[in-house]
Structure formats: C-alpha cells, structure tokens
Amino acid sequence: MLTDRHPRVSIAHLPTPLEMLPRLTALLRGPQLWVKRDDQTGLATGGNKTRKLEFLVAEALAQKADTLVTCGAAQSNHARQTAAAAARFGLACTLVLRGHPPAQAQGNLLLDQLLGADVVWAGDTPIAERLEEVAESLKAHGRRPYIVPYGGSNPVGVCGYVAAMEELMAQMAREGISFDHIILASSSGGTQAGLMVAARVLGYRGRILGISVDLLAGPLRQRMAELATATADHLGLPLSFAPEDFAVEDNYLGGGYGVIGDLEREAIRLLARTEGLLLDPVYTGRAFGGLIDLIRRGAFSPQERVLFWHTGGVAGLFARPNLE
Ligand SMILES: *Cc1c(COP(=O)(O)O)cnc(C)c1O
C-alpha cells in the first residue's frame, strides 16, 4: 500500500461495498451506474471524513494530544465524524461551528452533542480566527489540542483517499470490472486530490470528475493541485499536479452551499424511490443531481460504466424537516 508507512488507526469498515444501481440504470437508459458506499464507513452514520480521520487521529495520538479541535458548518458531517472519532479514542473534542446556534439541535448537530463534543459558535467572527482562539485558550488551560484541518484536508488526511483508491483498484481487479468515470461531490478537495494521487501512481485510466458543491472550478482545482502535490510529497512520491489535472464541474452550485433546490430534491427522491438509497441534502444530493443532468445531456455513452462515490452525509437529512 502507498500509505503503509504512515501511522493509521482503524475506525472505518473497509472495504466499503461496491454496488450496482440496476433500476436507475434502466430508468435512465444507461450508462451503467454503480455506487461506492463510503456512506457506510461505519462511524456514527459514516461518511468520507472517517477515512481521513484514520490518519489524522493517529497523528494526534502520536503527538499525545488530548483534544481534537475542528471547524465547519452547523450541519458539518466532518465535525460529527471528528466528534465520534474523539469519543472512540477517549479524547475530548471542541467543534467551532459557523454562525449562531439554531433553536433546536437536529441532524449532525444533535449527534455532535450526543457524542459529547463541546460546540463553540463562531457568530460573526471568521471561523478560522475563532478556531485559533479556541485552540489557544485550550492550551492556556493546560490542554493539548490537535487541530484537525477544515474538511480533514491536509496531506495527512488526504492519505485516507489515496488508500481508498487503492481499495477500489483492488475491488475492480477482483471483480473484473472497470469504471470509465468516477463522480463525486467535492468541497475542500481532499477526497478528489487523494483519489487522483493514487490514480496517477496506479495507472487508473478513467476520468475522475468532482462536482463542486460550493467553490468555482478555478479555485477548487488550484486547491486540489496543491493538496495532491503536498500529499505525494508526504508519501515520498515524486509527483506534481497542476490545476488542469483535475476535472471539476461547477454548473450545479444553485443557490450556494447548503441551499436545497429542485436539483437536489429530485435526486434524493429518485435514488430513494428507485434504489432505496439515501443521499444527503448538501453534498451527494447535489452531486448526484449533477450526474443525472449530465446523463440526460448525453455526456456518457450507454455502454460506459460510471461509479458514483457516495461520500455520506445522510445525518443531514434529519435536519431538513421540509425536504419532501
Ligand atoms: C466533506 C464532504 C464532501 C466533500 O469532501 P472533500 O474532501 O471536502 O472535497 C462530500 N460529501 C460529504 C457528504 C461530505 O461530508
């Protein structure tokens, strides 16, 4: 394994299943659709951050940290998985969340509280600034905080998705199938960057397309190139990446981050009703909505195989009482 020499704890249920979506494939008349179930990584309702946390928590433990600190949106899946990982290893956890507290804790925020995390609201302060303040104040109280980066996306966390792509390549070889396209929701860029590093090293021939949920393609590709290059360096691989190496679609940003439109609503309902598969409102709902639109526009031939990498987030559904 490319990441073998790097400290890692075992939290995720791996390998995650690879499943076909036969009814949806028939309904859309191809391409052949498959899903990689990283919504089933197993940590307090799962998701992609669990793979990154396997490497990040190992580093925190090596540094003798006693508290994990991270930040995100009020319904951050990353924050919830960080809170669960902290609980699992007997660490404290402080989450700095954007904005002001809602009247009622639902979805991921409810889980953050059940998992015992301390939640600090950033209010009108920029979230990164508030995170620094919180870490400093913990230190002043004799604690040893470990800052988990936004989205778990630094070279340590991104190793989780280098290993994930190796896992997929092994599954493809074992089952005798290959995918022409891999489609996923991208935000902080760590997932796609990790997949690309391993794809390059292992000679994956298909295309990896990130559907952006918040950033324009330009800045997202720039960020992914930097992350992928830094991750390769961290792994001792002599590779460098340019923004043009990353395929990103930014046509589905709709009303902005976390704003549900018809695209997301229809994708969530369609997947639920044709395959019994749940998508989340912020990331995978948008990305699958984009994939359906691309299929309808004829972006794929009916014979091609397309893998949707399900990155999780289902807990966010339960903070959306008016989704239906
Ligand atoms: C964080 C997240 C993503 C985006 O992953 P990045 O590595 O930040 O690009 C996608 N889907 C879900 C459900 C997430 O929580």
Side-chain angles (χ1 to χ4, degrees):
M1 295 274 292
L2 294 167
T3 53
D4 268 354
R5 290 165 169 203
H6 289 73
R8 177 177 187 177
V9 298
S10 172
I11 329 177
H13 297 177
L14 302 178
T16 56
L18 200 53
E19 293 171 351
M20 238 190 116
L21 299 176
R23 288 172 43 79
L24 188 64
T25 299
L27 188 79
L28 298 171
R29 300 197 179 83
Q32 204 184 99
L33 294 168
W34 290 67
V35 62
K36 173 75 169 152
R37 299 294 305 272
D38 277 15
D39 57 322
Q40 301 294 317
T41 52
L43 185 64
T45 74
N48 63 339
K49 305 313 180 304
T50 302
R51 289 186 189 265
K52 301 179 185 182
L53 284 161
E54 290 204 309
F55 290 88
L56 292 160
V57 169
E59 186 178 69
L61 295 173
Q63 294 177 4
K64 307 256 184 294
D66 59 14
T67 308
L68 300 184
V69 183
T70 199
C71 60
Q75 281 300 324
S76 168
N77 301 303
H78 164 66
R80 180 252 311 156
Q81 286 163 87
T82 301
R88 180 84 169 254
F89 288 90
L91 304 169
C93 181
T94 302
L95 302 174
V96 179
L97 302 182
R98 190 166 292 138
H100 300 274
Q104 214 189 353
Q106 295 178 316
N108 283 296
L109 180 58
L110 172 66
L111 298 183
D112 295 342
Q113 296 181 350
L114 289 175
L115 292 161
D118 293 318
V119 174
V120 173
W121 294 93
D124 301 323
T125 311
I127 197 161
E129 208 174 292
R130 196 76 186 90
L131 181 76
E132 281 306 317
E133 286 171 15
V134 164
E136 284 313 311
S137 139
L138 285 167
K139 280 186 209 156
H141 288 85
R143 302 268 290 278
R144 296 176 61 89
Y146 174 89
I147 296 185
V148 178
Y150 177 74
S153 289
N154 66 6
V156 174
V158 169
C159 284
Y161 271 88
V162 175
M165 187 67 191
E166 284 194 272
E167 177 184 301
L168 176 70
M169 297 285 283
Q171 281 176 316
M172 292 196 300
R174 199 162 51 240
E175 303 194 15
I177 44 171
S178 67
F179 297 103
D180 304 293
H181 306 265
I182 294 173
I183 314 284
L184 73 154
S186 276
S187 175
S188 71
T191 302
Q192 194 173 347
L195 296 179
M196 275 297 291
V197 170
R200 173 89 64 89
V201 178
L202 304 172
Y204 172 65
R205 280 200 254 262
R207 189 173 68 129
I208 300 174
L209 173 66
I211 299 198
S212 177
V213 303
D214 48 6
L215 294 181
L216 289 173
L220 181 53
R221 294 160 96 198
Q222 179 68 36
R223 183 184 289 184
M224 287 179 188
E226 285 163 12
L227 259 178
T229 302
T231 302
D233 186 56
H234 178 70
L235 290 171
L237 302 165
L239 298 175
S240 82
F241 292 83
E244 307 77 66
D245 294 334
F246 294 85
V248 170
E249 179 63 76
D250 64 3
N251 272 332
Y252 303 106
L253 298 174
Y257 180 82
V259 180
I260 302 184
D262 289 342
L263 181 91
E264 293 81 14
R265 206 174 285 115
E266 282 168 14
I268 292 169
R269 291 170 68 151
L270 187 64
L271 267 287
R273 287 163 195 211
T274 54
E275 295 285 356
L277 181 70
L278 298 177
L279 300 173
D280 85 284
V282 178
Y283 297 91
T284 54
R286 179 161 292 177
F288 214 110
L291 171 56
I292 292 167
D293 184 64
L294 290 170
I295 292 171
R296 289 187 176 140
R297 289 167 183 275
F300 310 97
S301 78
Q303 294 75 32
E304 283 187 303
R305 281 203 195 92
V306 174
L307 178 70
F308 182 76
W309 204 304
H310 194 325
T311 44
V314 168
L317 274 180
F318 304 107
R320 303 281 180 164
N322 52 5
L323 191 64
E324 255 296 326

